[in-house]
Amino acid sequence: MRVLTNVEVKIVPRMAANGHPFTELLHTWTEDGLPRTALSRVNYATADTPSNRAYHIQIFKQRQARQEAQIGLFK
């Protein structure tokens, strides 16, 4: 089982060249004592507020757990 600690997310609203808003999410965490990062994007503007950061951290943890469960099925 993977243990993720110090999970954080940086929310950066951006504008595409065609004028459509999107948001970059820079996830950082520590796993097995090693720092890790991941970049993801959502197709809408999201404000950088504590509640939005908490929401995206929770979604990130759920996604990681789901991926780990899928990998376990294929072993």
Side-chain angles (χ1 to χ4, degrees):
M1 177 175 181
R2 297 171 64 190
V3 177
L4 308 178
T5 58
N6 301 329
V7 178
E8 296 181 14
V9 64
K10 181 178 179 184
I11 299 174
V12 183
R14 303 269 190 208
M15 189 71 66
N18 62 5
H20 293 177
F22 68 96
T23 303
E24 290 183 337
L25 305 169
L26 176 60
H27 301 279
T28 58
W29 71 97
T30 303
E31 182 178 354
D32 296 328
L34 300 172
R36 308 282 185 174
T37 61
L39 178 67
S40 59
R41 293 182 177 167
V42 292
N43 291 328
Y44 50 86
T46 300
D48 187 12
T49 64
S51 61
N52 282 342
R53 285 193 300 270
Y55 170 78
H56 285 289
I57 287 171
Q58 186 62 32
I59 295 300
F60 174 76
K61 288 180 177 180
Q62 289 175 356
R63 185 172 58 238
Q64 294 298 317
R66 189 172 51 245
Q67 287 176 351
E68 182 178 0
Q70 287 179 335
I71 290 170
L73 292 175
F74 296 116
K75 286 186 176 179

